[in-house]
Amino acid sequence: MKKLNVGMIGGGFMGKAHALAYAGMPMFFWPAPVIPHRHTVVDVTDELAKDAAARLGFENYSSDWRKVVEDPEIDIIDIVTPNDSHAEIAIAAAKAGKHIISEKPLARDAAEAKTMLDAVREAGVKHMVAFNYRRTPAVALAKKYIEEGKLGKILNFRGTYLQDWSADPNSPLSWRFQKDRAGSGALGDIGTHVIDFARYLVGEISDVNAVAKTWIGERPIQIGGVDKLGTVKANVDVPKAAVDVDDEFMTLVKFENGAVGSIEATRNAWGRNNFLTFEIHGEKGSLVFNYERRDELQVCFSDDPGDSRGFRTVYTGPAHPYGEGLWPIPALGIGYGETKIIETYDFMKSIAEDTKVSPDFEDGYQIAVISDAILESAEKSEWVNLSKQGEMANLSK
Amino acid sequence: MKKLNVGMIGGGFMGKAHALAYAGMPMFFWPAPVIPHRHTVVDVTDELAKDAAARLGFENYSSDWRKVVEDPEIDIIDIVTPNDSHAEIAIAAAKAGKHIISEKPLARDAAEAKTMLDAVREAGVKHMVAFNYRRTPAVALAKKYIEEGKLGKILNFRGTYLQDWSADPNSPLSWRFQKDRAGSGALGDIGTHVIDFARYLVGEISDVNAVAKTWIGERPIQIGGVDKLGTVKANVDVPKAAVDVDDEFMTLVKFENGAVGSIEATRNAWGRNNFLTFEIHGEKGSLVFNYERRDELQVCFSDDPGDSRGFRTVYTGPAHPYGEGLWPIPALGIGYGETKIIETYDFMKSIAEDTKVSPDFEDGYQIAVISDAILESAEKSEWVNLSKQGEMANLSK
Amino acid sequence: MKKLNVGMIGGGFMGKAHALAYAGMPMFFWPAPVIPHRHTVVDVTDELAKDAAARLGFENYSSDWRKVVEDPEIDIIDIVTPNDSHAEIAIAAAKAGKHIISEKPLARDAAEAKTMLDAVREAGVKHMVAFNYRRTPAVALAKKYIEEGKLGKILNFRGTYLQDWSADPNSPLSWRFQKDRAGSGALGDIGTHVIDFARYLVGEISDVNAVAKTWIGERPIQIGGVDKLGTVKANVDVPKAAVDVDDEFMTLVKFENGAVGSIEATRNAWGRNNFLTFEIHGEKGSLVFNYERRDELQVCFSDDPGDSRGFRTVYTGPAHPYGEGLWPIPALGIGYGETKIIETYDFMKSIAEDTKVSPDFEDGYQIAVISDAILESAEKSEWVNLSKQGEMANLSK
Amino acid sequence: MKKLNVGMIGGGFMGKAHALAYAGMPMFFWPAPVIPHRHTVVDVTDELAKDAAARLGFENYSSDWRKVVEDPEIDIIDIVTPNDSHAEIAIAAAKAGKHIISEKPLARDAAEAKTMLDAVREAGVKHMVAFNYRRTPAVALAKKYIEEGKLGKILNFRGTYLQDWSADPNSPLSWRFQKDRAGSGALGDIGTHVIDFARYLVGEISDVNAVAKTWIGERPIQIGGVDKLGTVKANVDVPKAAVDVDDEFMTLVKFENGAVGSIEATRNAWGRNNFLTFEIHGEKGSLVFNYERRDELQVCFSDDPGDSRGFRTVYTGPAHPYGEGLWPIPALGIGYGETKIIETYDFMKSIAEDTKVSPDFEDGYQIAVISDAILESAEKSEWVNLSKQGEMANLSK
């Protein structure tokens, strides 16, 4: 079996998830399309990188991502850094002929994403954006039902991503609250996952009309570079600085195929943890999903008899997408790790078989275009039509 | 105890609910502020009216609502007819000096609602619109938490009302699908309940931006006047006619106090029955309600300790609003009847104590103004600001 | 339509529920089999009875139940008093030739229940025991599925009834904690509802093996006769007295048809309000019900395709048992009142049509036999076989 | 960091789970107490073992487990084979001085388990039984609440483990349905997890009283040795053979501390997938857990104010047990893999720190004693007291 060497740039929370996926993927999907080898991990300092290598099972480490990107032994570059470094790394990796998987959002805005897309197209390498949640088997099952026509024509979509880790005003000001580093706030960080669901399940979005809010205007400055996602409260004495991204947005959407919908995200929703949901109504049925209970998909079929019609709670397992590779009994339990293992599997397969994988940088770019439009719409208080937003129309063909 | 005579115009499904409330109210709330006596019921023909009187426990019956409205023995007129007759009956009743409770929506549009509001103001009678769902004890509990400041400043509101009884294209074309009779579709029929929640719990709405859709363009004409709410499927051979109201709408809303939100309603959501929900986030907590599980309110308080914070599922009972009068154990069960019994209680109390009750015709008018703005916004594809919509600003003071 | 005069003995919480049912039944089920007329209500004193009549809409009142039982105008005696008076009243009513509906449990023990059964048999009157929860449409739907064979052979049953209103040691010692008045504790009060479910849905119970516990040995004595079901906490200074009934029991059961099961009840389960549940597995499917969410029945059919099999959440409405008479849309809401309205309907129908209604005093007696066996089993720590418990074998034919 | 070499006996579904845990553990818990190195995997043939090594990331492979057990390079033996080989391997491994982790149930019966316990005691090695579900953070949180006294004295426990993978009579007869290989059926396979919960959360069990059933008396013989847990249906023509283990059992239990409870398990419950649940009531609160929604623990505290008391749905994350090592946001998702990673962490820590880990072979033995008593009780139809069951009383000190 072919082995491909991975150079992973970043050793934080996301690095952990990706490292687990590299280790676990062949255990689940066998024979593996390729074996991803944890060749080199990069972190900010040599010391941190050395520690990351030991922790995450990489053979080598480095504090110089450029050298890794250019290392001829490396086949794949995996970008798990904050948003402001995605483009630079990806473009360099593309030029070096490496296949690339980048964490989401692809870039801070559409223009930046476009430079990345241009680079991978030019280089002819494989590329993927890590919108892992659509790899949840229950989400893939939703897609399957829709493609099989079991819901008929799709009428609408409503998606939410609600968290509460930044609802506390003393949650520190990490890079996720800084526009120059993150691009946007809840929108780019979590809202883009919902946009990915909407496009994956329903189709291309043509128009948006949004409101956006920054509820907590300033936060205590984070000490040290590590982003703890709100789990550490800052000391009261710490100086504060301004938040210049959205805490929350809501947008109406129109789809090219006539469906309508709403998308919203916030990190200030007390009691919601990773409440990534969708509800879809079609002419012949409905779907409901909540990632907090991610082993389940709820589906209602209109042609069930009237006296026994209702949402079926389907627990995904061997009978469902990716079921052959996963655990043998439904509800043994899909965790975050499994979504990343499936993602890695699909990426490796696309490399091995030289096929297009989705979501790739084109999707990442389109999602950036939509995200920009959402912010523009919120600022101008008007609908923004996406066909006017540059290359997008071509992409969606 | 004072007894007041009710003349009820209409003997259908809503008449049943109101009749049960008149009978049951003193059983639950005792001593009763007044005893509502089922004096006369009106239906389309004498035969129907006679049957309704026997069935619903009214002493007298009539097929002439005007005569009942003018009957000096009658103290209260209860309007449970289709939307297109609310105004005519209410204005006549006001002129005759009767207290009035009208089913919702108050009228087919704001202009019509305004004529009713003017009439009851002029007459100085008590008036109420039957947005009964806010009488659900769990909703009243949400209001109580908010008023006590337990959620802090309210940031947002999202409300839905999803049903599926008209999702079948063979559900007959009743008056609910005809603009001249109903005014609007899902918006007036069910969406107005969500608007009522939004105003009740968060505050006045200042701006809306909506989409509206008619998914099923024509339906088989209903045989006979009885509205079965989709439970009877039309024969396939029946001729069809056009639907000229919305099947579904979604709107973003801005509140005067700075909160934002979304409201949507559809009667085409397979699997949803009476899915009237809200989710509210405040600076200090969150609320979630779903009428399909109406004995429950979910609430999360930010000041719970981190290791045991989460949504509390509170079942309403004696410790909660209206609990003294209702069943002695939570989850014995609030049904539709109980919401109407509470509504009747509050209306009778307002008459007995000469106090303002809410929602009254002012609320009904404001909801009509908002509804009109939603349709206007959907048609023009732009935000509509409500302060420009006439009298409303004055009302909300 | 024939009108029958009801004499109701008792004007407390249960009296309220029954009064609402008498008023509401014809509104829901029309044409009504008979019209129950609220003729006379009895309470402990004339003053209380007079108040009850005004409150509950009875024409007359009395503090002498014997006179009412013998009143030739009375057709039906409705017993809504504490358990220790059921037998005396019922036997007198039977002798006077009245039809009888008695609250549950039928009596304090099987021997007492037997005297009641003998009396109604001798008198040839109609008789019913008010195990109203099986009238919940979702429970009736479960019965329908089973009778249609949709679940195949039933393998097992597990039922619970968990409440928390007596979990607080300061909840006062009402008659419900006194063996001489109640017969037993959680067993008779709520456990009998689960036994009723088990017999209704699965079949006759042949053996039991139980544990029973009194967790709170003494409680403050209740001031005044009114049973508030724990909603009023006693003053700390109040003298205490011993509880001599069970707070909780659990029993294994064997059914005559080979199925097995477990039944349990407690009033000391913090957080459970009216958690009356069952889960049933058959060879071809499963059922799950929770009265706290009583509009819903969950059903799983084994012959659904593997990729879309799961529990269906069916909301009962017009397509389900009793649906013609109830609300026109599922989840408008079944409350406690509706269960009592249906119960009254079935009792009136049995009188009008001279048919057997279930559960009747035979069922009430059998449930008492089973209850006695549960206590005996718990005391002796051994299985108790019911075929040795007297008349039961004959009854179940 | 110290590296310990693992020899894993078995390369099936459980081998996959353990291999993932060895790879992932240091990524989650860092600095790792020791680094488990995947040294050698054993399968039935060289070919299968070679494949397993490639798939699961082991350095070496073998088809001779005895050689691996005696390999001086090996520090830890991991037993992930069918039940009938646990004892032989474990005793050999103990004699060779290896630390041992064995899949559950520890053995086919208590006598066999005792030989294993004796062996590890004699050898002085570390030992663990892989009842991984108690490692679910939500279960560990339940334990924490109980130990902190937040629930007061525990009154009762009810636990279930319901699955449906063998409900189909055509699910093949794997070793799990053969007494000589498995020891028992649903009891040993899944019921023991519930017994483990009961002992972990409440305390030692003193008495049991059970029923046990074999619902499907014969099944088609499985072709090939691989146990697919019912996901493959046998061809109709395949010859059948008798099932000689329980499909389902239910038992009442008494705890030494006075609490009571019920435990049940079945693999024939249509619609239940991995429905491993408990509900616990204490004097001061209640707990509810369902592994199908394993990120959540429901807890109700009696001292919450009456108007906002109810079950809190707590999603486990950084603020809860093992939270430091797991994902940074609650509901990112605990899967089966994470439970095994935590289990491995605790075992490695016990080796590194030379401390006792739980559940160990003592627990495994006691659970076997209880399991034997359950079967004895079911056969004899009487309570079985466990203090008479041999060594147990000593162990529980």
Side-chain angles (χ1 to χ4, degrees), chain C residues 156 158 209 248 264 270 286, chain D residues 156 158 209 264 270 286:
Chain C
N156 55 49
R158 53 197 54 67
N209 194 333
E248 169 166 4
E264 56 178 305
W270 284 112
S286 299
Chain D
N156 55 47
R158 53 197 54 70
N209 193 334
E264 56 176 306
W270 284 111
S286 299

Side-chain angles (χ1 to χ4, degrees), chain D residues 94-336:
Chain D
K95 283 185 180 150
K98 313 301 190 195
H99 304 301
I100 308 170
I101 178 167
S102 169
E103 265 303 320
K104 37 54 54 186
L106 185 56
R108 286 168 293 184
D109 58 27
E112 190 174 56
K114 186 60 167 55
T115 63
M116 299 167 75
L117 176 57
D118 290 343
V120 294
R121 280 176 170 173
E122 168 117 5
V125 297
K126 294 291 162 197
H127 43 100
M128 189 182 206
V129 191
F131 288 109
N132 61 307
Y133 289 122
R134 71 149 84 164
R135 252 74 197 178
T136 312
V139 178
L141 178 61
K143 174 75 168 175
K144 176 169 169 272
Y145 288 149
I146 291 171
E147 289 192 338
E148 291 170 350
K150 287 194 175 156
L151 304 181
K153 196 181 100 181
I154 300 303
L155 304 179
N156 55 47
F157 170 93
R158 53 197 54 70
T160 74
Y161 201 152
L162 312 180
Q163 299 183 324
D164 70 1
W165 61 265
S166 76
D168 187 329
N170 285 322
S171 283
L173 184 92
S174 74
W175 65 267
R176 291 180 198 268
F177 297 94
Q178 302 168 24
K179 188 176 167 60
D180 62 339
R181 300 211 57 200
S184 63
L187 171 58
D189 190 21
I190 56 177
T192 47
H193 280 293
V194 191
I195 299 170
D196 183 56
F197 276 4
R199 295 179 69 249
Y200 175 55
L201 296 171
V202 181
E204 198 55 81
I205 291 169
S206 63
D207 301 86
V208 297
N209 193 334
V211 293
K213 286 281 182 177
T214 302
W215 297 117
I216 297 174
E218 57 174 26
R219 292 177 177 277
I221 293 167
Q222 180 173 291
I223 306 306
V226 183
D227 172 20
K228 289 280 197 175
L229 287 167
T231 61
V232 176
K233 298 296 166 271
N235 193 302
V236 183
D237 309 331
V238 165
K240 294 190 170 185
V243 172
D244 57 359
V245 296
D246 55 293
D247 283 329
E248 170 166 3
F249 78 96
M250 297 179 171
T251 190
L252 295 181
V253 297
K254 296 177 185 170
F255 293 88
E256 291 184 356
N257 59 18
V260 294
S262 66
I263 293 175
E264 56 176 306
T266 173
R267 299 178 296 204
N268 288 42
W270 284 111
R272 295 306 189 191
N273 296 284
N274 210 40
F275 192 73
L276 170 60
T277 74
F278 60 77
E279 175 155 352
I280 294 174
H281 304 140
E283 283 185 342
K284 292 171 57 185
S286 299
L287 291 168
V288 174
F289 172 77
N290 171 5
Y291 182 84
E292 292 191 346
R293 293 172 169 177
R294 79 203 69 82
D295 292 277
E296 308 167 26
L297 179 68
Q298 290 189 73
V299 61
C300 177
F301 298 120
S302 69
D303 51 8
D304 274 340
D307 79 339
S308 51
R309 189 190 300 127
F311 277 102
R312 305 177 184 194
T313 302
V314 179
Y315 278 83
T316 56
H320 305 102
Y322 303 110
E324 282 299 305
L326 297 168
W327 305 112
I329 293 177
L332 273 191
I334 301 301
Y336 193 75

Side-chain angles (χ1 to χ4, degrees), chain C residues 37-103:
Chain C
H37 177 63
R38 284 166 283 164
H39 185 283
T40 303
V41 64
V42 177
D43 211 328
V44 179
T45 65
D46 269 2
E47 196 181 13
L48 282 170
K50 184 178 177 185
D51 183 78
R55 186 164 37 93
L56 304 179
F58 278 77
E59 204 177 335
N60 310 290
Y61 63 88
S62 168
S63 61
D64 182 351
W65 66 260
R66 286 172 204 280
K67 238 160 80 181
V68 175
V69 160
E70 279 155 26
D71 183 342
E73 288 194 4
I74 296 290
D75 302 296
I76 295 167
I77 289 294
D78 181 352
I79 306 172
V80 288
T81 53
N83 305 350
D84 56 340
S85 55
H86 291 185
E88 190 178 10
I89 299 169
I91 292 167
K95 282 186 179 149
K98 314 300 189 194
H99 305 301
I100 307 168
I101 177 166
S102 170
E103 263 305 319

Side-chain angles (χ1 to χ4, degrees), chain B residues 29 135 137 322 326 338-346:
Chain B
F29 296 99
R135 251 75 197 178
Y322 302 109
L326 296 168
E338 281 82 354
T339 69
K340 284 292 185 182
I341 284 170
I342 299 171
E343 176 176 271
T344 298
Y345 167 64
D346 280 338

Side-chain angles (χ1 to χ4, degrees), chain A residues 27-308:
Chain A
M27 302 179 190
F28 284 72
F29 296 100
W30 190 257
V34 306
I35 304 273
H37 177 63
R38 285 166 282 163
H39 186 282
T40 303
V41 64
V42 177
D43 212 326
V44 178
T45 65
D46 268 1
E47 195 180 13
L48 283 171
K50 184 177 177 185
D51 183 78
R55 185 165 37 93
L56 303 178
F58 278 77
E59 204 176 337
N60 311 290
Y61 63 89
S62 168
S63 61
D64 183 350
W65 66 262
R66 286 171 204 281
K67 238 159 81 181
V68 176
V69 160
E70 279 155 25
D71 182 343
E73 287 195 3
I74 297 290
D75 301 297
I76 295 167
I77 290 294
D78 181 352
I79 306 173
V80 287
T81 54
N83 305 350
D84 56 339
S85 56
H86 291 185
E88 190 178 9
I89 298 170
I91 293 168
K95 282 187 181 149
K98 314 301 190 194
H99 304 300
I100 308 169
I101 178 167
S102 169
E103 263 305 319
K104 39 53 56 183
L106 185 56
R108 287 170 292 184
D109 59 26
E112 190 173 57
K114 186 62 167 54
T115 63
M116 299 166 75
L117 176 57
D118 289 344
V120 294
R121 278 176 170 172
E122 169 115 4
V125 297
K126 294 290 162 198
H127 43 100
M128 190 180 204
V129 190
F131 288 109
N132 62 307
Y133 289 122
R134 70 149 84 165
R135 252 74 196 178
T136 312
V139 178
L141 178 60
K143 174 74 167 175
K144 176 170 169 270
Y145 288 149
I146 292 172
E147 288 192 337
E148 291 170 350
K150 286 191 175 156
L151 304 180
K153 197 181 99 182
I154 301 303
L155 304 179
N156 55 49
F157 170 94
R158 54 198 53 68
T160 74
Y161 200 151
L162 312 180
Q163 300 183 324
D164 70 3
W165 61 266
S166 75
D168 186 330
N170 284 324
S171 283
L173 185 91
S174 74
W175 64 267
R176 292 180 197 266
F177 297 94
Q178 302 169 23
K179 188 175 167 60
D180 61 340
R181 298 209 59 197
S184 63
L187 172 57
D189 190 21
I190 56 176
T192 48
H193 280 293
V194 192
I195 299 170
D196 183 56
F197 276 5
R199 295 178 69 248
Y200 175 56
L201 295 171
V202 181
E204 197 54 81
I205 291 169
S206 62
D207 301 85
V208 297
N209 194 334
V211 292
K213 286 280 183 179
T214 302
W215 297 117
I216 297 174
E218 56 174 26
R219 292 175 178 277
I221 293 167
Q222 180 173 290
I223 306 306
V226 183
D227 172 19
K228 289 279 196 176
L229 288 166
T231 60
V232 176
K233 299 296 167 268
N235 193 303
V236 183
D237 310 331
V238 165
K240 293 189 171 188
V243 173
D244 57 359
V245 296
D246 55 293
D247 283 328
E248 169 166 4
F249 79 95
M250 297 179 171
T251 190
L252 296 181
V253 297
K254 297 177 185 171
F255 293 88
E256 291 184 355
N257 60 18
V260 295
S262 66
I263 293 174
E264 57 177 305
T266 173
R267 298 178 297 205
N268 288 43
W270 284 112
R272 295 307 189 190
N273 296 284
N274 210 39
F275 192 73
L276 170 61
T277 74
F278 60 77
E279 174 155 353
I280 293 174
H281 305 139
E283 284 185 342
K284 293 171 57 186
S286 299
L287 291 167
V288 174
F289 172 76
N290 170 6
Y291 182 84
E292 292 190 347
R293 293 171 169 179
R294 78 204 68 84
D295 292 277
E296 308 169 25
L297 179 69
Q298 290 189 73
V299 60
C300 176
F301 299 119
S302 68
D303 50 8
D304 273 340
D307 79 339
S308 51

